Amino acid sequence: MFKRNRRLRETSNIRDLVRETILSPTDFIFPIFVVEGENIKEEISSMPGNYHFSLDRLHEIIEEVIEVGVRGVILFGLPDHKDEVGSGAFDKNGIIQRAVKKVRTISKDLVVITDVCMCEYTSHGHCGIVVDEKVDNDKSLKYIAEIALSHAQAGADMVAPSDMMDGHVEAIRTILDENGFKDVSIMAYSAKYSSAFYGPFREAADSTPQFGNRKTYQMDPANSREAMREIDADIEEGADIIMVKPALSYLDVVRWARDRHDVPVAVYSVSGEFAMVKAAAKMGFIDEKAIAMEMHLSMKRAGADMIITYYALDLCGWLRE
Ligand code: PBG
């Protein structure tokens, strides 16, 4: 006798009862770009509805994030000045350090996460220290650790290293502990792929590498077993949360990570994923709300506990409808 699977789809109320995955504002983390200057709220052309904010207007977006019920933000900074070693990234008075302090004056509770990387701050646009046209892993670690420490000193709850250097989590955990920040957690961009989906972000963050590409440190999109090695290493080194990035093309990796480990798994739905949907919606080719909801639901269904997404505010609005 065949199974009548359709029975449990008979009415909307039954479907509500048997639903396995539910999106909530508490799932989302919203990325925010901060810039030097005054009175700036400038839309990022390839990411409609996302803006560059100067510090004096940062409260506008922070208040909105809190209002819709999102629990965390991840901050990206665009410094005025770039150099070989990305000194703006660990400057106590740098753009991110001041942004973190500013957010702290607006809210004590909002989870403030910082992206620990150098690419927005280095003149060459790479995520580490360059020696003879190569990104030097061990030289970079010292700088990455200093950046994380400066974020913790400014008041970040969580630091998120996205540089993809080997040993970065250990270096960060060590410097944080030595300086009394044992309660600052590490969200590691563990399985971060060398992805074309980062295109709009690099324009928004002015972080395109000036020579070569990121393939010697970010992962090959063809590999998933390697992602497990990256994730295992980060957990061993002390990561509190692991991340898979991008999201949509890597949901197999999310599921594998979820089944393999019991630490929280974050997924980053990146700029290119957002921009594609926005563009198609603008052309009238798709139903933006339905597509965005389905995309994020699939990330959660794949096993993500939290989703970093440019759609966070829109999704919260749609979830309330
Ligand atoms: C910094 C960083 C990048 C992203 C997050 N952190 C860019 C990159 O690695 O080139 C991408 C985020 C996005 O595309 O939304 N290293």
Side-chain angles (χ1 to χ4, degrees):
M1 211 186 34
F2 62 80
K3 290 266 190 245
R4 294 217 175 262
N5 290 316
R6 290 181 55 190
R7 272 186 204 126
L8 296 182
R9 296 177 206 136
E10 190 74 342
T11 71
S12 158
N13 280 348
I14 296 177
R15 292 195 297 273
D16 284 349
L17 283 176
V18 301
R19 184 159 302 124
E20 299 173 30
T21 313
I22 293 168
L23 285 174
S24 143
T26 59
D27 296 329
F28 309 131
I29 295 167
F30 189 60
I32 298 175
F33 296 92
V34 287
V35 294
E36 296 285 4
E38 271 169 37
N39 194 24
I40 297 169
K41 178 185 176 183
E42 213 166 55
E43 190 163 61
I44 299 164
S45 61
S46 54
M47 300 169 69
N50 286 267
Y51 301 84
H52 286 132
F53 283 96
S54 54
L55 294 176
D56 57 338
R57 295 191 64 175
L58 192 54
H59 64 278
E60 296 174 23
I61 188 69
I62 295 297
E63 282 160 9
E64 194 180 338
V65 163
I66 295 169
E67 161 70 26
V68 299
V70 165
R71 303 295 200 255
V73 291
I74 182 162
L75 303 177
F76 295 95
L78 281 83
D80 259 353
H81 156 85
K82 298 179 191 254
D83 59 30
E84 280 285 303
V85 296
S87 18
F90 49 89
D91 181 347
K92 280 191 170 22
N93 225 356
I95 181 75
I96 278 295
Q97 291 76 2
R98 279 178 291 137
V100 171
K101 284 185 195 150
K102 182 76 203 273
V103 177
R104 276 285 163 257
T105 65
I106 304 164
S107 169
K108 296 245 176 308
D109 306 323
L110 185 69
V111 180
V112 179
I113 309 168
T114 55
D115 183 80
V116 175
C117 198
M118 307 186 73
C119 61
E120 296 107 306
Y121 303 88
T122 50
S123 41
H124 44 72
H126 277 289
C127 305
I129 300 297
V130 171
V131 180
D132 297 333
E133 304 249 310
K134 281 177 80 169
V135 177
D136 188 296
N137 192 84
D138 298 13
K139 274 208 170 66
S140 303
L141 290 181
K142 206 177 81 198
Y143 289 88
I144 297 292
E146 285 297 334
I147 298 169
L149 176 61
S150 72
H151 294 174
Q153 285 166 336
D157 296 293
M158 209 177 271
V159 292
S162 68
D163 51 284
M164 286 299 279
M165 298 301 125
D166 294 327
H168 62 169
V169 173
E170 183 179 82
I172 291 173
R173 189 69 270 159
T174 305
I175 201 168
L176 291 180
D177 290 352
E178 280 171 2
N179 287 276
F181 293 104
K182 63 179 186 342
D183 290 331
V184 169
S185 26
I186 301 176
M187 172 193 273
Y189 285 74
S190 304
K192 178 177 179 181
Y193 286 88
S194 176
S195 170
F197 285 100
Y198 307 151
F201 174 96
R202 290 187 188 166
E203 185 205 321
D206 187 26
S207 67
T208 308
Q210 297 304 300
F211 65 88
N213 52 52
R214 304 210 204 289
K215 289 182 198 295
T216 67
Y217 43 105
Q218 297 182 350
M219 282 185 52
D220 183 341
N223 298 350
S224 56
R225 290 190 299 267
E226 185 186 354
M228 298 307 117
R229 296 202 292 277
E230 285 283 2
I231 288 169
D232 293 358
D234 281 358
I235 292 175
E236 223 164 273
E237 290 176 31
D240 300 286
I241 298 172
I242 53 173
M243 192 202 297
V244 176
K245 177 187 172 193
L248 274 192
S249 289
Y250 300 88
L251 294 185
D252 55 328
V253 181
V254 174
R255 168 49 58 197
W256 195 355
R258 168 74 293 149
D259 289 345
R260 186 179 176 96
H261 290 291
D262 52 15
V263 298
V265 176
V267 70
Y268 196 146
S269 182
V270 301
S271 56
E273 299 174 49
F274 175 81
M276 288 194 308
V277 181
K278 280 286 176 195
K282 197 170 165 191
M283 297 291 285
F285 294 163
I286 55 163
D287 174 344
E288 181 184 14
K289 172 185 163 187
I291 292 267
M293 297 276 262
E294 188 174 330
M295 276 168 55
H296 290 79
L297 192 70
S298 71
M299 295 167 206
K300 203 170 170 192
R301 192 197 62 235
D305 298 290
M306 62 199 96
I307 307 171
I308 302 176
T309 175
Y310 302 98
Y311 261 118
L313 303 184
D314 288 338
L315 287 166
C316 290
W318 291 324
L319 287 169
R320 264 203 293 218
E321 281 173 11

